[in-house]
Amino acid sequence: MPDQLTEALLPEVERWLRRHSWTAADRPVEALLAAKRAAGRAGSVSVVLPALDEEPTVGEIVRVIRRELMERLPLVDELVVVDSGSVDRTAELAAAAGARVVHRDDILPRIPTVPGKGEVLWRSLLATTGEIVCFIDADLREFDPAFVTGIVGPLLTDPGIQLVKAMYDRPLETEGAVVPAGGGRVTELVARPLLNLHWPQLAGFVQPLGGEYAARRSLLERLHFPTGYGVELGLLVDALDEVGLDALAQVDVGVRHHRHQDGQALGRMAATIYRTALERLDRTHRLKAADDLVHPHLTQFTRASRSREFTPHTHPVTALERPPMLSVPEYRDRG
């Protein structure tokens, strides 16, 4: 990180940026393999890809991880794609490329599933066995193994680290044009202001909403999982409360190329993230508000092609969260 840091940062965040922000190259894979062997069972790594209709990209991600990090280098022990109801060939292509594919509805079937990425991540803890769990989004293009090695590296080499987020450049690629730093719009407009205002200890995270992060199972199993888009912010805030800033880290893995959402999808994402933050502010008594001041819906508008009138569409802003996995009997009794 740069030597000149803004005076607005908390001193502890400035120290954290200097000590807990790395690049993937800081830990050569040979060092990771040595640390993994020395750690034994504690160094077992599961990689999870939550996937919903990711036919164009999921196969290549799986192939790269299997070839580079399971066959050429024995770093990853388990590669699981959790399919959350794809209607395309996502599951077929992931399996053909070498992943174990599990359907979301087949994990913990006594609890009916709900839509959302966080729901899939929560259930994935029952479908995996590694003591280090690494989440990778399934829509990445030009996938680099450093997305995995970078974020599992600190967990393998430093027993004090509990959760590691990837950081990267995030270009906005649309209609043939590329805006170098134009991606991550919800991060800049919603998540970063919320974190800086209410959880300033987390102000040093470059990509707080990024879907690529790794953590120790012993931490993940103690956290609540928002079922929707708020899962990344929720886990980060709760991890801070659970283990403290010095147990968190971030690693630069380069550039993230992926599919971008349209403006209305971003609006729904932003509303869910905002509500996730409100739930945590209320839970920790940092926010005093009557229940009727929270209206859990978001109304958006589209212009009809024929009438040219604006048509409202109202979407629920979900606040459902799954409990810590340690409270689930099937998880405790899994043998």
Side-chain angles (χ1 to χ4, degrees), residues 265-287:
L266 294 178
R268 295 190 291 274
M269 185 184 302
T272 304
I273 289 166
Y274 179 61
R275 190 168 182 200
T276 298
L278 287 179
E279 293 291 329
R280 276 147 182 78
L281 289 169
D282 182 63
R283 182 191 304 165
T284 56
H285 307 292
R286 301 182 191 184
L287 178 70

Short mmCIF file of all heavy atoms in Angstrom, two decimals, residues 265-287:
data_model
loop_
_atom_site.label_atom_id
_atom_site.label_comp_id
_atom_site.label_asym_id
_atom_site.label_seq_id
_atom_site.Cartn_x
_atom_site.Cartn_y
_atom_site.Cartn_z
N ALA A 265 -30.77 -3.95 -11.43
CA ALA A 265 -30.24 -5.02 -10.58
C ALA A 265 -29.31 -4.45 -9.52
O ALA A 265 -29.32 -4.90 -8.37
CB ALA A 265 -29.50 -6.06 -11.44
N LEU A 266 -28.52 -3.45 -9.91
CA LEU A 266 -27.64 -2.81 -8.93
C LEU A 266 -28.45 -2.10 -7.85
O LEU A 266 -28.06 -2.07 -6.68
CB LEU A 266 -26.71 -1.81 -9.62
CG LEU A 266 -25.68 -2.39 -10.60
CD1 LEU A 266 -24.88 -1.28 -11.24
CD2 LEU A 266 -24.77 -3.38 -9.90
N GLY A 267 -29.58 -1.52 -8.23
CA GLY A 267 -30.44 -0.89 -7.24
C GLY A 267 -30.97 -1.88 -6.22
O GLY A 267 -31.01 -1.61 -5.02
N ARG A 268 -31.40 -3.05 -6.70
CA ARG A 268 -31.88 -4.08 -5.77
C ARG A 268 -30.75 -4.56 -4.86
O ARG A 268 -30.96 -4.80 -3.67
CB ARG A 268 -32.48 -5.24 -6.56
CG ARG A 268 -33.74 -4.86 -7.35
CD ARG A 268 -34.44 -6.06 -7.92
NE ARG A 268 -33.69 -6.71 -8.99
CZ ARG A 268 -33.74 -6.36 -10.27
NH1 ARG A 268 -34.47 -5.33 -10.65
NH2 ARG A 268 -33.05 -7.03 -11.19
N MET A 269 -29.57 -4.70 -5.45
CA MET A 269 -28.42 -5.10 -4.65
C MET A 269 -28.11 -4.06 -3.56
O MET A 269 -27.88 -4.39 -2.40
CB MET A 269 -27.20 -5.28 -5.56
CG MET A 269 -25.96 -5.81 -4.88
SD MET A 269 -24.53 -5.88 -6.00
CE MET A 269 -25.18 -6.95 -7.29
N ALA A 270 -28.14 -2.80 -3.96
CA ALA A 270 -27.84 -1.73 -3.02
C ALA A 270 -28.83 -1.69 -1.87
O ALA A 270 -28.45 -1.51 -0.70
CB ALA A 270 -27.81 -0.39 -3.75
N ALA A 271 -30.11 -1.87 -2.19
CA ALA A 271 -31.13 -1.84 -1.14
C ALA A 271 -30.94 -2.99 -0.15
O ALA A 271 -31.07 -2.80 1.07
CB ALA A 271 -32.52 -1.91 -1.77
N THR A 272 -30.62 -4.17 -0.67
CA THR A 272 -30.41 -5.31 0.21
C THR A 272 -29.19 -5.11 1.10
O THR A 272 -29.20 -5.44 2.29
CB THR A 272 -30.24 -6.60 -0.62
OG1 THR A 272 -31.38 -6.76 -1.46
CG2 THR A 272 -30.10 -7.81 0.27
N ILE A 273 -28.13 -4.57 0.53
CA ILE A 273 -26.91 -4.31 1.31
C ILE A 273 -27.19 -3.27 2.39
O ILE A 273 -26.74 -3.41 3.54
CB ILE A 273 -25.78 -3.86 0.37
CG1 ILE A 273 -25.31 -5.06 -0.47
CG2 ILE A 273 -24.61 -3.25 1.14
CD1 ILE A 273 -24.46 -4.69 -1.64
N TYR A 274 -27.94 -2.23 2.03
CA TYR A 274 -28.28 -1.20 3.02
C TYR A 274 -29.09 -1.82 4.16
O TYR A 274 -28.84 -1.54 5.34
CB TYR A 274 -29.07 -0.08 2.35
CG TYR A 274 -29.48 1.02 3.29
CD1 TYR A 274 -28.53 1.77 3.98
CD2 TYR A 274 -30.82 1.31 3.49
CE1 TYR A 274 -28.91 2.78 4.85
CE2 TYR A 274 -31.21 2.31 4.35
CZ TYR A 274 -30.25 3.05 5.03
OH TYR A 274 -30.64 4.05 5.89
N ARG A 275 -30.05 -2.68 3.83
CA ARG A 275 -30.85 -3.28 4.89
C ARG A 275 -30.01 -4.23 5.75
O ARG A 275 -30.20 -4.32 6.96
CB ARG A 275 -32.05 -4.03 4.31
CG ARG A 275 -33.00 -4.44 5.42
CD ARG A 275 -34.33 -4.93 4.96
NE ARG A 275 -35.14 -5.23 6.14
CZ ARG A 275 -36.21 -6.02 6.12
NH1 ARG A 275 -36.60 -6.55 4.99
NH2 ARG A 275 -36.88 -6.25 7.22
N THR A 276 -29.07 -4.94 5.14
CA THR A 276 -28.16 -5.79 5.90
C THR A 276 -27.39 -4.95 6.92
O THR A 276 -27.21 -5.35 8.08
CB THR A 276 -27.19 -6.51 4.97
OG1 THR A 276 -27.93 -7.35 4.08
CG2 THR A 276 -26.19 -7.36 5.75
N ALA A 277 -26.93 -3.78 6.49
CA ALA A 277 -26.22 -2.89 7.41
C ALA A 277 -27.14 -2.43 8.53
O ALA A 277 -26.74 -2.38 9.71
CB ALA A 277 -25.65 -1.70 6.64
N LEU A 278 -28.38 -2.09 8.19
CA LEU A 278 -29.32 -1.64 9.22
C LEU A 278 -29.55 -2.72 10.27
O LEU A 278 -29.64 -2.43 11.47
CB LEU A 278 -30.65 -1.25 8.58
CG LEU A 278 -30.71 0.06 7.80
CD1 LEU A 278 -32.11 0.26 7.22
CD2 LEU A 278 -30.33 1.24 8.68
N GLU A 279 -29.67 -3.96 9.81
CA GLU A 279 -29.89 -5.06 10.76
C GLU A 279 -28.74 -5.14 11.75
O GLU A 279 -28.94 -5.38 12.95
CB GLU A 279 -30.03 -6.39 10.01
CG GLU A 279 -31.28 -6.51 9.15
CD GLU A 279 -32.55 -6.60 9.99
OE1 GLU A 279 -32.49 -7.14 11.10
OE2 GLU A 279 -33.59 -6.12 9.51
N ARG A 280 -27.52 -4.95 11.28
CA ARG A 280 -26.36 -5.03 12.17
C ARG A 280 -26.25 -3.81 13.08
O ARG A 280 -25.84 -3.93 14.23
CB ARG A 280 -25.09 -5.24 11.34
CG ARG A 280 -24.91 -6.71 11.02
CD ARG A 280 -24.27 -7.01 9.71
NE ARG A 280 -24.23 -8.48 9.57
CZ ARG A 280 -25.30 -9.21 9.23
NH1 ARG A 280 -26.44 -8.64 8.95
NH2 ARG A 280 -25.20 -10.54 9.16
N LEU A 281 -26.61 -2.66 12.57
CA LEU A 281 -26.62 -1.48 13.42
C LEU A 281 -27.64 -1.62 14.54
O LEU A 281 -27.39 -1.25 15.69
CB LEU A 281 -26.92 -0.23 12.58
CG LEU A 281 -25.81 0.21 11.62
CD1 LEU A 281 -26.34 1.27 10.66
CD2 LEU A 281 -24.61 0.74 12.39
N ASP A 282 -28.79 -2.19 14.19
CA ASP A 282 -29.82 -2.39 15.20
C ASP A 282 -29.42 -3.47 16.20
O ASP A 282 -29.61 -3.32 17.41
CB ASP A 282 -31.14 -2.76 14.52
CG ASP A 282 -32.28 -2.94 15.51
OD1 ASP A 282 -32.63 -1.97 16.20
OD2 ASP A 282 -32.80 -4.07 15.62
N ARG A 283 -28.84 -4.55 15.69
CA ARG A 283 -28.45 -5.67 16.56
C ARG A 283 -27.43 -5.24 17.61
O ARG A 283 -27.44 -5.74 18.74
CB ARG A 283 -27.90 -6.81 15.70
CG ARG A 283 -27.50 -8.05 16.50
CD ARG A 283 -26.72 -9.02 15.62
NE ARG A 283 -27.47 -9.39 14.42
CZ ARG A 283 -26.92 -9.99 13.37
NH1 ARG A 283 -25.61 -10.23 13.35
NH2 ARG A 283 -27.65 -10.31 12.33
N THR A 284 -26.55 -4.34 17.24
CA THR A 284 -25.50 -3.89 18.15
C THR A 284 -25.85 -2.58 18.84
O THR A 284 -25.00 -1.94 19.45
CB THR A 284 -24.17 -3.73 17.39
OG1 THR A 284 -24.35 -2.83 16.29
CG2 THR A 284 -23.68 -5.08 16.87
N HIS A 285 -27.13 -2.17 18.71
CA HIS A 285 -27.65 -0.97 19.39
C HIS A 285 -26.90 0.30 18.97
O HIS A 285 -26.76 1.24 19.75
CB HIS A 285 -27.58 -1.14 20.91
CG HIS A 285 -28.22 -2.39 21.40
ND1 HIS A 285 -29.58 -2.62 21.33
CD2 HIS A 285 -27.69 -3.53 21.93
CE1 HIS A 285 -29.87 -3.83 21.81
NE2 HIS A 285 -28.74 -4.40 22.18
N ARG A 286 -26.45 0.32 17.72
CA ARG A 286 -25.82 1.53 17.20
C ARG A 286 -26.82 2.42 16.48
O ARG A 286 -26.50 3.54 16.11
CB ARG A 286 -24.70 1.16 16.22
CG ARG A 286 -23.61 0.29 16.83
CD ARG A 286 -22.52 0.02 15.80
NE ARG A 286 -21.62 -1.01 16.27
CZ ARG A 286 -20.53 -1.39 15.62
NH1 ARG A 286 -20.21 -0.82 14.48
NH2 ARG A 286 -19.76 -2.34 16.10
N LEU A 287 -28.01 1.91 16.25
CA LEU A 287 -29.02 2.66 15.53
C LEU A 287 -30.34 2.51 16.25
O LEU A 287 -30.80 1.41 16.53
CB LEU A 287 -29.15 2.12 14.10
CG LEU A 287 -30.21 2.78 13.22
CD1 LEU A 287 -29.78 4.20 12.87
CD2 LEU A 287 -30.44 1.98 11.96
#
